[in-house]
């Protein structure tokens, strides 16, 4: 049987991300970006910008806010 020369072993799927096999990183990176954006734009924003962690001011120092004290908007962002 002929060996698969494609940079992805599992084929093209819209239900699971492509596996990175160590070859052709640039191609894989573009496919992963498209796959993640197609699932949810908010997930891609969290990857690029980092996660949103609600903060509160205690004694002039910002600390992480407990989840029980978060507003609905803060919970949605996180």
């Amino acid at each position: 049987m002929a060996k698969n020369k494609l940079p992805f072993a599992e084929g093209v799927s819209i239900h699971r991300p492509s596996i990175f096999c160590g070859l052709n990183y640039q191609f894989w990176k573009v496919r992963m970006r498209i796959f993640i954006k197609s699932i949810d734009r908010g997930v891609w924003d969290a990857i690029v910008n980092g996660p949103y962690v609600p903060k509160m001011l205690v004694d002039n120092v910002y600390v992480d806010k407990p989840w029980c004290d978060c507003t609905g908007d803060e919970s949605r962002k996180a």
Side-chain angles (χ1 to χ4, degrees):
M1 183 171 238
K3 183 174 168 124
N4 188 359
K5 302 237 185 222
L6 296 174
F8 45 90
E10 80 287 351
V12 179
S13 175
I14 61 170
H15 301 290
R16 62 180 182 193
S18 61
I19 297 172
F20 180 59
C21 64
L23 301 172
N24 203 353
Y25 172 75
Q26 294 299 322
F27 178 75
W28 175 83
K29 184 173 93 171
V30 170
R31 289 193 64 210
M32 281 303 295
R33 182 182 304 141
I34 292 168
F35 179 79
I36 293 170
K37 283 182 179 180
S38 71
I39 292 173
D40 186 5
R41 180 67 187 207
V43 173
W44 180 251
D45 289 340
I47 291 170
V48 172
N49 300 323
Y52 173 77
V53 180
K55 303 277 186 186
M56 65 181 188
L57 189 62
V58 176
D59 298 327
N60 293 330
V61 177
Y62 284 101
V63 295
D64 293 348
K65 188 183 248 188
W67 287 108
C68 60
D69 294 339
C70 292
T71 63
D73 189 44
E74 289 174 333
S75 295
R76 185 185 56 79
K77 286 181 184 178

